[in-house]
Amino acid sequence: MDAVVLALDSFKSSIGAADAVAALRDGWISVDPHREITLLPMADGGEGTLDAFAAAVPGAERVPVTVTGPEGDRIAASWLLLPPASDAPDGTAVVELASTSGIELLGSPSRLRPLDADTRGFGEAIAAALAHGVSRLVLGIGSSASTDGGTGMLSALGARFTDAASRPIPPGGRGLGSLSSADLTGLPALPAGGVTVLTDVTNPLRGDLGAAAVFGPQKGAGPDEIALLDAGLGRLAALVDVDPGTPGAGAAGGTGFGLIAWGARLVPGADAVAELIGLPAAVGAASVVVAGEGSFDGQSAAGKAPDLVRALARAAGVPVALVAGRIAADADVSDFADAVSLTELAGSGEASLSDPARWLFAAGAELARRLA
């Protein structure tokens, strides 16, 4: 029987990847009920990474944990335990910054904390996974609420960041302004299988393309706060033996920098997720593949998940279709066998955003009719 692989990324601020592929599948089978359909939700390290692995990897187990959220309160979260493998005999832990220290946890723009949110909760979840005894860590670092250079995360793992009076600095980017000493000797050893960090960001730590300047505004930082945060990151860089210009050091408000200092390896998120969930093999065995994301535009060809799915399908000689919340005028969809915009199906962007599952169902049914 011909197989269809559904490999959509999340439709940000609308619907997660796991729910998106499920809705698309339901629409497809309403027209073509006997088709074999494989759900492989994609992610690049940001929001939805945990859900993507949970949906795609048989035997994955959510492990609950209570951590310090970006507002300083205790929140319920989880990390994901993947089954043992030859290169990770005690299992792999997937930990997501978005669900522990992410901007979505703040809920509304009025609750943004550009100077005071930090990454401690992310570090606490990593520490819990290490205490479980896993052989490998996979860390998704998209959707950060803070610009603390990863100091909150590293502090939760045993590092010490102090001011001139040897007192711990306050949490968040604000605390970096008083940073005088950084002691990383208390950090635990990396697990035997190492620490792989998933990110689609290649920005350096500082400067016009750095963490504060590029990503600070979306976290609520104005010009004066951006300058303060960038200066604080400079104080951190002067104390830690990592090149602040390293690609990805500015990811997640400088969390990439902190993870490099621990010894982690930063990799393109979508590529690593694809390998870990077995996407290349699934695409090679498929008759049709469907890629997608919320907004497909000219930048979507720059290493984003739909472009990766398209490249894998092209290499395997398998037709690939696209489903997107909107398809921008500058987007090149000529390589896709078909392309469906939820905005066009719904009649407007507002309508598609108000009920994305409904319109993904409609998109699945439409593709089944067109590609049958």
Side-chain angles (χ1 to χ4, degrees), residues 210-323:
V214 175
F215 306 110
Q218 68 192 35
K219 301 171 187 180
D224 291 344
E225 292 165 317
I226 289 170
L228 187 152
L229 290 167
D230 192 66
L233 292 172
R235 296 177 71 94
L236 175 64
L239 296 169
V240 176
D241 188 22
V242 172
D243 180 1
T246 303
T255 303
F257 179 85
L259 287 166
I260 295 169
W262 187 28
R265 180 174 64 99
L266 273 58
V267 301
D271 297 65
V273 171
E275 288 294 332
L276 286 163
I277 67 175
L279 181 62
V283 167
S287 57
V288 177
V289 178
V290 183
E293 64 180 353
S295 178
F296 190 82
D297 53 29
Q299 296 183 7
S300 296
K304 300 268 185 170
D307 187 57
L308 172 64
V309 175
R310 174 167 55 177
L312 288 172
R314 184 188 302 145
V318 177
V320 58
L322 172 72
V323 173

Side-chain angles (χ1 to χ4, degrees), residues 51-76:
D51 290 340
F53 278 107
V57 179
E61 174 189 354
R62 287 185 183 273
V63 182
V65 63
T66 301
V67 301
T68 305
E71 292 179 290
D73 54 343
R74 302 294 284 174
I75 63 171

Side-chain angles (χ1 to χ4, degrees), residues 55 71 87 118 139 179 189 194 196 241 258 263 271 309 312 341-342 359:
E71 292 179 290
D87 56 348
D118 75 339
L139 309 178
L179 179 63
T196 301
D241 188 22
D271 297 65
V309 175
L312 288 172
S341 162
L342 302 192
W359 297 109

Side-chain angles (χ1 to χ4, degrees), residues 56-126:
V57 179
E61 174 189 354
R62 287 185 183 273
V63 182
V65 63
T66 301
V67 301
T68 305
E71 292 179 290
D73 54 343
R74 302 294 284 174
I75 63 171
S78 63
W79 57 275
L80 194 69
L81 178 63
L82 304 186
S86 59
D87 56 348
D90 294 314
T92 295
V94 182
V95 188
E96 181 187 86
L97 187 149
S99 61
T100 53
S101 301
I103 193 168
E104 288 83 4
L105 297 173
L106 297 176
S108 68
S110 64
R111 290 166 58 190
L112 295 176
R113 308 177 74 226
L115 295 180
D116 299 306
D118 75 339
T119 51
R120 174 169 288 275
F122 183 45
E124 291 170 344
I126 294 171

Side-chain angles (χ1 to χ4, degrees), residues 114-366:
L115 295 180
D116 299 306
D118 75 339
T119 51
R120 174 169 288 275
F122 183 45
E124 291 170 344
I126 294 171
L130 289 174
H132 193 277
V134 297
S135 299
R136 177 174 59 191
L137 286 172
V138 175
L139 309 178
I141 63 169
S143 306
S144 167
S146 63
T147 309
D148 73 345
T151 53
M153 170 199 66
L154 293 175
S155 296
L157 289 170
R160 281 181 50 81
F161 299 95
T162 53
D163 62 18
S166 298
R167 298 171 300 202
I169 61 172
R174 187 189 304 275
L176 296 178
S178 60
L179 179 63
S180 179
S181 176
D183 180 3
L184 307 185
T185 58
L187 291 175
L190 302 182
V195 178
T196 301
V197 181
L198 312 179
T199 178
D200 65 350
V201 169
T202 58
N203 300 68
L205 183 67
R206 301 191 62 214
D208 292 343
L209 298 177
V214 175
F215 306 110
Q218 68 192 35
K219 301 171 187 180
D224 291 344
E225 292 165 317
I226 289 170
L228 187 152
L229 290 167
D230 192 66
L233 292 172
R235 296 177 71 94
L236 175 64
L239 296 169
V240 176
D241 188 22
V242 172
D243 180 1
T246 303
T255 303
F257 179 85
L259 287 166
I260 295 169
W262 187 28
R265 180 174 64 99
L266 273 58
V267 301
D271 297 65
V273 171
E275 288 294 332
L276 286 163
I277 67 175
L279 181 62
V283 167
S287 57
V288 177
V289 178
V290 183
E293 64 180 353
S295 178
F296 190 82
D297 53 29
Q299 296 183 7
S300 296
K304 300 268 185 170
D307 187 57
L308 172 64
V309 175
R310 174 167 55 177
L312 288 172
R314 184 188 302 145
V318 177
V320 58
L322 172 72
V323 173
R326 61 179 287 272
I327 299 176
D330 67 341
D332 180 8
V333 297
S334 60
D335 283 349
F336 289 103
D338 209 330
V340 177
S341 162
L342 302 192
T343 296
E344 291 185 6
L345 284 178
S348 70
E350 293 77 11
S352 68
L353 287 168
S354 68
D355 195 355
R358 172 189 174 186
W359 297 109
L360 281 160
F361 181 100
E366 184 66 19

